[in-house]
Amino acid sequence: MNVWLLLICMGLVTYAIRLSMIGLIGRVNLPSVVQWALCLVPSAVLSAIIFPELLMPKGTLDLSFGNLRLLAGALAAAVAWRTRNVLLTIGVGMVALWVLQAVFPH
Amino acid sequence: MDTNRDLKRSPRSEFVAGVRAELPILLGVVPFGMIYGALAVGAGLSVGAAMAMSSIVFAGSAQFVGVQLIHAGAPGMVIVFTTFIVNLRHILYSASIAPYLAQLSHRWKWLLAYLLTDEAYAVTITRYNQESASAVKSANRHWYLLGAGLAMWSTWQVSTAAGIFLGAQVPSSWSLDFTIALTFIALVVPALRDRPSVAAALSAGVIAVLAFGLPYKLGLIVAAISGMAVGLWVEARLLSTGRRHERGDSR
């Protein structure tokens, strides 16, 4: 397949997925079960991204204290819970990771 | 009182707020985009095609997989189908943000759908859910997604180009990619206010780890849908016990 045709097909497939529900769901009211389910999407999807990032930074499960991303991420989660401040959460998490990496170099 | 003030948020202030909310996560996007650019050229794509993929496809993970498959000489239909699988999670994004965009014209929907990346979705849906929890309805809230989406889009194009022409210049020892996970933590954790969302988050996270071995990010969507199912089940249980309490039953 010609590379430009391939790019256009990849783009169309991606765009169709992104537009799918935005285009379909009109002004009608959704059933309440569906509304509940949709409210859970961010918590479910983002956690499904976060957990492997923290628990398996090198591709395998690592629950040890040598897993610096898990330690920094747990600290960041505590900050997020207490302060609800996005910038502070990111700042504390990033500084924690840098400090841990400096103290425990691999 | 607050509601009235919020109703008057101008398109400009919504747009700027969206851009600002997107800024921290972009720290992690830049090295990611540079790695993509370097990888694409290394895999034999022309400079033009490597750049064009970032604007035509505009989906980081799918671009990584696509470039690797092109390099391996996979058939075009296989690459297109793989793109579909890798991007399947966007159906959930599209569905969850759709009710907030239902009033918009077709043109707005078409534009915002193009900008619906993981990063823009995460900050925008958090904002929209907070607003609806506090009964705020901002008529111009689509400008927020436009701001977050365009900030993400421009950063992706520029960092991709930088990776193509300069190579991946940000040392991985800086761990800047971690800002993406940290931003998601900052957005999710404060939103875990009730038992169904906690149940959904924990079960989705655990299943994502268990299903990590599945190819093409399938583990992610399996985990997300299972998490939503668990969350719904907890919600249904809470409702049914609540009803029994209302009727005066002991348990």
Side-chain angles (χ1 to χ4, degrees), chain B residues 20-78:
Chain B
R20 288 175 70 170
E22 192 69 10
L23 287 180
I25 207 169
L26 297 180
L27 274 179
V29 168
V30 169
F32 194 47
M34 291 181 94
I35 295 170
Y36 161 76
L39 193 74
V41 177
L45 262 76
S46 68
V47 168
M51 297 267 295
M53 195 191 281
S54 280
S55 50
I56 296 176
V57 183
F58 187 39
S61 316
Q63 290 180 228
F64 270 84
V65 176
V67 160
Q68 284 162 1
L69 288 175
I70 290 172
H71 188 54
M77 286 314 292
V78 171

Side-chain angles (χ1 to χ4, degrees), chain B residues 182-229:
Chain B
L182 286 172
T183 309
F184 290 163
I185 290 173
L187 297 173
V188 166
V189 171
L192 299 179
R193 290 193 201 119
D194 48 30
R195 272 191 261 176
S197 11
V198 173
L202 287 181
S203 45
V206 170
I207 293 165
V209 170
L210 295 176
F212 192 74
L214 292 179
Y216 305 130
K217 294 213 160 204
L218 275 173
L220 179 56
I221 191 152
V222 168
I225 291 175
S226 320
M228 288 163 61

Side-chain angles (χ1 to χ4, degrees), chain A residues 14-15 18 36 69 98 101, chain B residues 58 94 110 174-175 177 239:
Chain A
T14 306
Y15 183 62
R18 286 175 173 161
W36 292 345
R69 287 191 175 214
W98 285 331
Q101 282 176 343
Chain B
F58 187 39
S94 185
W110 292 336
W174 290 7
S175 306
D177 60 299
L239 276 182

Side-chain angles (χ1 to χ4, degrees), chain A residues 4-89:
Chain A
W4 290 97
L5 181 61
L6 176 64
L7 289 186
I8 290 168
C9 290
M10 289 174 72
L12 282 178
V13 161
T14 306
Y15 183 62
I17 295 172
R18 286 175 173 161
L19 181 62
S20 59
M21 297 299 155
I22 294 177
L24 283 177
I25 297 178
R27 297 163 194 219
V28 288
N29 283 331
L30 296 168
S32 58
V33 176
V34 178
Q35 286 183 18
W36 292 345
L38 293 183
C39 287
L40 296 171
V41 171
S43 309
V45 177
L46 297 180
S47 302
I49 297 175
I50 295 165
F51 271 56
E53 288 276 336
L54 298 187
L55 296 177
M56 37 201 326
K58 296 190 180 83
T60 50
L61 188 63
D62 180 1
L63 294 171
S64 73
F65 281 104
N67 182 352
L68 306 183
R69 287 191 175 214
L70 177 56
L71 298 178
L75 181 64
V79 172
W81 181 254
R82 288 295 295 270
T83 68
R84 305 185 164 215
N85 183 324
V86 175
L87 282 181
L88 190 67
T89 303

Side-chain angles (χ1 to χ4, degrees), chain B:
Chain B
M1 192 175 70
D2 270 328
T3 311
N4 287 337
R5 199 173 62 224
D6 285 330
L7 274 173
K8 286 181 200 142
R9 278 191 206 135
S10 66
R12 187 194 162 92
S13 73
E14 289 281 7
F15 182 87
V16 172
V19 172
R20 288 175 70 170
E22 192 69 10
L23 287 180
I25 207 169
L26 297 180
L27 274 179
V29 168
V30 169
F32 194 47
M34 291 181 94
I35 295 170
Y36 161 76
L39 193 74
V41 177
L45 262 76
S46 68
V47 168
M51 297 267 295
M53 195 191 281
S54 280
S55 50
I56 296 176
V57 183
F58 187 39
S61 316
Q63 290 180 228
F64 270 84
V65 176
V67 160
Q68 284 162 1
L69 288 175
I70 290 172
H71 188 54
M77 286 314 292
V78 171
I79 301 177
V80 174
F81 184 69
T82 309
T83 306
F84 174 77
I85 301 292
V86 172
N87 283 327
L88 213 49
R89 66 189 184 287
H90 288 91
I91 287 186
L92 293 176
Y93 302 167
S94 185
S96 91
I97 213 156
Y100 295 106
L101 308 179
Q103 309 296 323
L104 296 177
S105 66
H106 286 306
R107 281 186 188 188
W108 268 106
K109 288 181 181 177
W110 292 336
L111 172 62
L112 294 178
Y114 169 66
L115 296 172
L116 195 66
T117 52
D118 302 70
E119 290 82 359
Y121 166 77
V123 298
T124 305
I125 197 69
T126 306
R127 160 93 156 196
Y128 289 176
N129 283 345
Q130 279 168 358
E131 284 178 355
S132 80
S134 50
V136 172
K137 255 200 156 183
S138 166
N140 290 314
R141 61 185 167 201
H142 48 292
W143 288 87
Y144 187 93
L145 174 53
L146 183 68
L150 281 182
M152 176 65 199
W153 187 86
S154 350
T155 306
W156 186 246
Q157 306 310 320
V158 171
S159 53
T160 293
I164 290 170
F165 292 112
L166 308 172
Q169 295 288 335
V170 181
S172 64
S173 63
W174 290 7
S175 306
L176 282 184
D177 60 299
F178 196 46
T179 53
I180 298 182
L182 286 172
T183 309
F184 290 163
I185 290 173
L187 297 173
V188 166
V189 171
L192 299 179
R193 290 193 201 119
D194 48 30
R195 272 191 261 176
S197 11
V198 173
L202 287 181
S203 45
V206 170
I207 293 165
V209 170
L210 295 176
F212 192 74
L214 292 179
Y216 305 130
K217 294 213 160 204
L218 275 173
L220 179 56
I221 191 152
V222 168
I225 291 175
S226 320
M228 288 163 61
V230 173
L232 274 184
W233 176 72
V234 170
E235 190 140 11
R237 273 189 48 138
L238 285 175
L239 276 182
S240 65
T241 51
R243 271 193 213 115
R244 265 177 304 205
H245 283 303
E246 276 168 30
R247 285 203 309 264
D249 292 1
S250 55
R251 280 188 70 215

